[in-house]
DNA sequence: ACCTGAACACCGTTCAAGT
DNA sequence: ACCTGAACACCGTTCAAGT
């Protein structure tokens, strides 16, 4: 990739991240990203063929934090319920960090053709790690996909309705208790 | 209301219902509704000031089925868990019946200014009836708003990802167990 | 190779003009 | 009162023309 193209790409992602963070996916237009990055619309689309693929690039670095969150949650000093709840809370918080991300990523969970497919795999693997670690403390037969959808769904609701943290927490407790072995 | 205006209104809702049912909220344009109902765009907007308010009118009759579903679910022959699960399943099925409805109604749950505000009240009351009926079988302190958001969130996920019924059912079982008293 | 920006197609909504 | 339909504002995306 030519040096100027690389510079353009970097500037686009940087500008897009700031806009998406401030206003959420829907409220940001591709035009203002192009203008902000001082490139033509064609250049923007040469680097990112759709608005969603641009969003995916913006969420790149942030997705790497998922595995750290799993490590943090799986502390052997805590009860299984506490570990699970810590993870679900962190997970939901990360999903809610970017307005519009939770619903989009959760909707992409079953779709390998989505721009978010790589992100989905990361999440599913993270939830699988939690399932493996907590093992017999969990309801027999729970799948990573189920946890991903349950928490993703709650994060999407929290995002849409701009719920306060404690409203989210009380719903995640219900989900966590449902996930634990009877 | 003038007779021709009433006729127009009825035709608009009828046509809109067919389109929304067939294609879902996003894939239907106000223009095609106007054309289908053989009215000008201005007439459509005179009757329904926004696309969402038109959707609300389309969902009118269907919302009345909610209370019947509660009656059906609260059969005293079944265990509390079975009653709860029947209700959650019916509730989610009704929300998923119209593509795009679940996410919109769930997002409106806290917002009295939404076109769906009346529908939200219906849902919250229905969930409150279930809470009152199952009473001590439920986790102490559960609120109608929490159940509405949990099931609404799951219905929205199911809707977005076009999940098969058994995938939804397994998630609702988790939610139900979380809602029952320990 | 890569860039530019005008243009396209579409959509929710409005409004001047009609009856 | 109510209706019509052209027009507006906006947006994701494309493409002919440039360097």
């Amino acid at each position: 990739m030519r040096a100027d193209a690389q510079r353009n790409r970097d500037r686009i992602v940087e500008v897009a991240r700031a806009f998406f963070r401030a206003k959420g996916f829907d409220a940001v237009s591709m035009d203002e990203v192009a203008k902000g990055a001082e490139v033509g619309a064609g250049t923007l689309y040469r680097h990112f063929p759709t608005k969603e693929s641009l969003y995916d690039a913006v969420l790149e670095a942030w997705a790497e934090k998922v595995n750290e969150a799993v490590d943090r949650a799986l502390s052997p000093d805590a009860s299984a319920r506490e570990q699970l709840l810590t993870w679900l809370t962190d997970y939901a918080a990360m999903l809610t960090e970017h307005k519009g991300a939770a619903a989009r990523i959760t909707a992409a969970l079953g779709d390998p053709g989505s721009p978010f497919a790589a992100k989905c795999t990361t999440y599913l693997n993270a939830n699988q790690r939690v399932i493996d670690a907590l093992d017999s403390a969990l309801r027999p037969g729970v799948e990573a996909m189920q946890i991903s959808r349950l928490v993703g769904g709650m994060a999407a609701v929290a995002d849409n309705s701009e719920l306060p943290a404690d409203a989210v927490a009380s719903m995640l407790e219900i989900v966590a208790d449902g996930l634990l072995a009877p």
Side-chain angles (χ1 to χ4, degrees), chain A:
Chain A
M1 183 181 270
R2 238 165 57 180
D4 57 339
Q6 182 65 57
R7 254 197 327 271
N8 277 337
R9 208 201 111 104
D10 293 347
R11 228 178 28 250
I12 287 168
V13 174
E14 188 189 342
V15 167
R17 176 150 34 227
F19 279 138
F20 282 136
R21 261 203 170 289
K23 312 204 278 176
F25 184 84
D26 289 331
V28 174
S29 74
M30 291 299 265
D31 207 57
E32 68 186 304
V33 172
K35 242 130 200 154
E38 293 175 311
V39 296
T43 304
L44 175 51
Y45 276 89
R46 156 176 275 269
H47 288 290
F48 303 101
T50 63
K51 190 180 177 184
E52 292 213 319
S53 74
L54 173 60
Y55 201 39
D56 183 67
V58 163
L59 298 180
E60 201 64 37
W62 159 87
E64 286 163 21
K65 297 192 296 185
V66 170
N67 278 306
E68 297 170 33
V70 176
D71 294 332
R72 228 178 309 120
L74 294 179
S75 129
D77 311 339
S79 71
R81 185 176 193 279
E82 282 166 342
Q83 293 181 61
L84 179 60
L85 209 45
T86 302
W87 160 240
L88 297 188
T89 307
D90 282 4
Y91 180 32
M94 292 192 306
L95 277 172
T96 319
E97 212 169 298
H98 290 79
K99 218 169 164 36
R104 248 161 266 276
I105 292 174
T106 305
L109 274 171
D111 171 18
S114 157
F116 302 114
K119 240 123 258 170
C120 292
T121 307
T122 306
Y123 288 133
L124 288 168
N125 288 344
N127 274 317
Q128 191 58 55
R129 279 186 61 204
V130 173
I131 291 175
D132 293 343
L134 299 183
D135 196 34
S136 64
L138 293 183
R139 155 197 289 260
V142 242
E143 290 163 29
M145 185 62 97
Q146 294 173 329
I147 304 184
S148 302
R149 285 190 176 131
L150 281 160
V151 184
M154 283 312 96
V157 172
D159 186 15
N160 276 332
S161 300
E162 310 205 335
L163 298 188
D166 64 320
V168 182
S170 68
M171 291 193 295
L172 291 178
E173 280 188 49
I174 294 170
V175 172
D177 285 338
L179 288 171
L180 290 165

